[in-house]
Amino acid sequence: MRKLVMPFTKGSLRLKNHVVMAPMTRSRALNNLPNELMATYYRQRSGAGLIVTEGTSPSPEGLGYPRIPGIFSEAQVDGWKAVTKGVHEAGSRIFLQLMHTGRIAHIANLPEGYQPVGLSDRKAAGEIFTDTAGLQEHSVPVALDAEGIVNVINNFVKAAINAVRTGFDGVELHGANGYLLEQSLNPHVNTRTDNYGGSIENRSRLTLEIAEKIASAIGREKVGLRISPYSTLSDMPAYDEADVHQTYAYLSGELNRLGIAYIHISDNPSIPQKTHQSIRSAFSNTLIYCNGLTAQTAEAKLQAGSADLVAFARSFLSNPDFMRRIEKNAPLNEVDYRTLYTPGAQGYTDYPVLDELAQLV
């Protein structure tokens, strides 16, 4: 596992190893405020060279789930400071993932006076959890008008500025998992007839304008984007394979032109090899791969050069000392799936580390 644990340098990214802790929603932000419990959670996992935080909303209407954090108020900015301080003291870097859930939302999860919004008013199939009424069908989103699009872009930029002010090393735009930016790419969800709908170029416009304006505001070396080509999560209807391929090839080329720090690929078996190759050939900066990796397969991916960095999610969730376990070839804790999204420390900051386990033997 030599490459995994070796320092990484490419462009502006200088990390103590080749391992990324992937973003994971954990729903511990009571009242949508980052807190000391969250600071402990991230500090525990700062063996990763780079941590990408849980999805964090750039605006009130983007808070689609219960207890997810935001970065649009001064109280939220103050709350995140303990997180960045702890991670930096451990020698790691940390990017804030900006996630606007768009139509994957319920009005009960939003502050009073706000409604879910989308590129169109097409309601997402399925249900979403609310703290007040349990599982509920997704709310019907309000279709963004021209002014609404401008507000979304401006809110992302303000959130990125807030993130840097809070001490984050950069931001990752969440363009995956069926949230707002991926909704804009899908022609069955984005049915607009203006400059933000129709052609591949128009459907990519929202993501690219946000990336470009954030890069101008905080520096292109502080911007990443997560994508999940061909994914159907969160009621993302499948569309023509050639269109999907061309969409991500175009997007990667334009992001390369902007010079952002990285593209983070949420891998899945539906992505054809030609799309992987097209993203790699179009984008010359850092590629991060995530999903389904073991230490062995991640090392092989790094050695082959198909990924520059590798990301792990649940391995870090249940193993605060995941990097130490890699180095010692130690077994991993099992994930407690009952406590993934519950409030409190259980299943969050109480997973045992190797020293504690040794004392129990």
Side-chain angles (χ1 to χ4, degrees):
M1 303 306 159
R2 287 304 87 204
K3 201 159 189 181
L4 277 173
V5 300
M6 287 174 59
F8 171 83
T9 299
K10 187 171 182 179
S12 61
L13 282 178
R14 290 170 173 78
L15 311 176
K16 63 185 180 184
N17 54 48
H18 283 64
V19 176
V20 179
M21 175 175 154
M24 292 174 283
T25 293
R26 301 306 313 277
S27 298
R28 262 65 176 195
L30 302 180
N31 300 314
N32 307 119
L33 291 170
N35 51 50
E36 285 296 331
L37 184 64
M38 291 167 59
T40 298
Y41 169 78
Y42 285 109
R43 186 166 56 247
Q44 286 177 339
R45 288 153 180 81
S46 53
L50 172 65
I51 291 175
V52 184
T53 73
E54 62 210 275
T56 301
S57 184
S59 55
E61 79 280 356
L63 293 165
Y65 293 103
R67 289 172 273 110
I68 68 171
I71 187 72
F72 50 85
S73 74
E74 282 304 308
Q76 290 163 344
V77 168
D78 288 341
W80 279 116
K81 288 178 181 176
V83 174
T84 58
K85 181 175 184 290
V87 171
H88 286 152
E89 285 176 349
S92 297
R93 306 281 298 280
I94 183 166
F95 273 43
L96 179 77
Q97 189 188 66
L98 293 178
M99 178 182 79
H100 190 305
T101 61
R103 70 185 191 136
I104 304 302
H106 192 276
I107 193 168
N109 291 332
L110 305 186
E112 187 175 351
Y114 290 91
Q115 293 178 289
V117 298
L119 277 296
S120 69
D121 61 0
R122 178 170 173 170
K123 176 185 173 183
E127 296 178 317
I128 190 169
F129 185 79
T130 70
D131 279 336
T132 54
L135 282 174
Q136 296 289 313
E137 290 187 358
H138 292 102
S139 297
V140 177
V142 175
L144 290 161
D145 58 15
E147 182 181 359
I149 290 280
V150 171
N151 288 338
V152 165
I153 295 170
N154 289 340
N155 286 335
F156 266 95
V157 175
K158 290 174 186 175
I161 292 170
N162 282 345
V164 171
R165 189 159 61 90
T166 302
F168 285 100
D169 299 294
V171 297
E172 175 180 287
L173 304 178
H174 199 344
N177 295 11
Y179 301 127
L180 186 69
L181 297 187
E182 189 173 45
Q183 292 164 27
S184 71
L185 299 175
N186 190 301
H188 298 307
V189 178
N190 178 3
T191 57
R192 302 177 74 90
T193 57
D194 62 5
N195 287 339
Y196 292 92
S199 67
I200 288 173
E201 292 79 8
N202 281 356
R203 283 184 275 121
S204 302
R205 191 182 307 278
L206 180 63
T207 299
L208 292 172
E209 285 190 353
I210 289 171
E212 183 168 20
K213 291 191 176 184
I214 289 177
S216 295
I218 66 172
R220 61 188 182 181
E221 74 282 358
K222 296 178 181 177
V223 184
L225 173 71
R226 194 172 209 230
I227 58 174
S228 53
Y230 299 88
S231 173
T232 56
L233 284 174
S234 301
D235 190 33
M236 292 299 290
Y239 58 106
D240 181 71
E241 182 179 318
D243 192 344
V244 181
H245 173 81
Q246 291 164 14
T247 296
Y248 286 95
Y250 171 76
L251 195 62
S252 301
E254 290 300 296
L255 292 168
N256 190 65
R257 179 183 61 79
L258 292 177
I260 69 168
Y262 68 77
I263 294 177
H264 184 177
I265 300 173
S266 180
D267 201 4
N268 71 79
S270 300
I271 305 176
Q273 190 58 31
K274 69 173 185 178
T275 303
H276 288 300
Q277 292 170 345
S278 135
I279 294 170
R280 174 76 282 181
S281 62
F283 189 75
S284 60
N285 282 349
T286 298
L287 277 189
I288 305 173
Y289 267 87
C290 184
N291 283 356
L293 293 171
T294 65
Q296 290 74 23
T297 59
E299 179 70 24
K301 209 164 183 63
L302 292 175
Q303 294 290 349
S306 54
D308 299 302
L309 294 171
V310 285
F312 297 85
R314 288 175 181 170
S315 296
F316 270 113
L317 185 158
S318 58
N319 299 277
D321 55 346
F322 178 57
M323 290 306 301
R324 189 170 174 217
R325 290 171 187 261
I326 287 178
E327 293 170 0
K328 291 182 171 290
N329 197 27
L332 302 180
N333 298 321
E334 295 293 325
V335 175
D336 181 0
Y337 290 97
R338 302 166 302 169
T339 58
L340 287 180
Y341 309 114
T342 55
Q346 185 180 2
Y348 190 58
T349 56
D350 62 349
Y351 281 103
V353 297
L354 287 176
D355 290 344
E356 294 171 353
L357 290 171
Q359 292 172 11
L360 296 175
V361 175

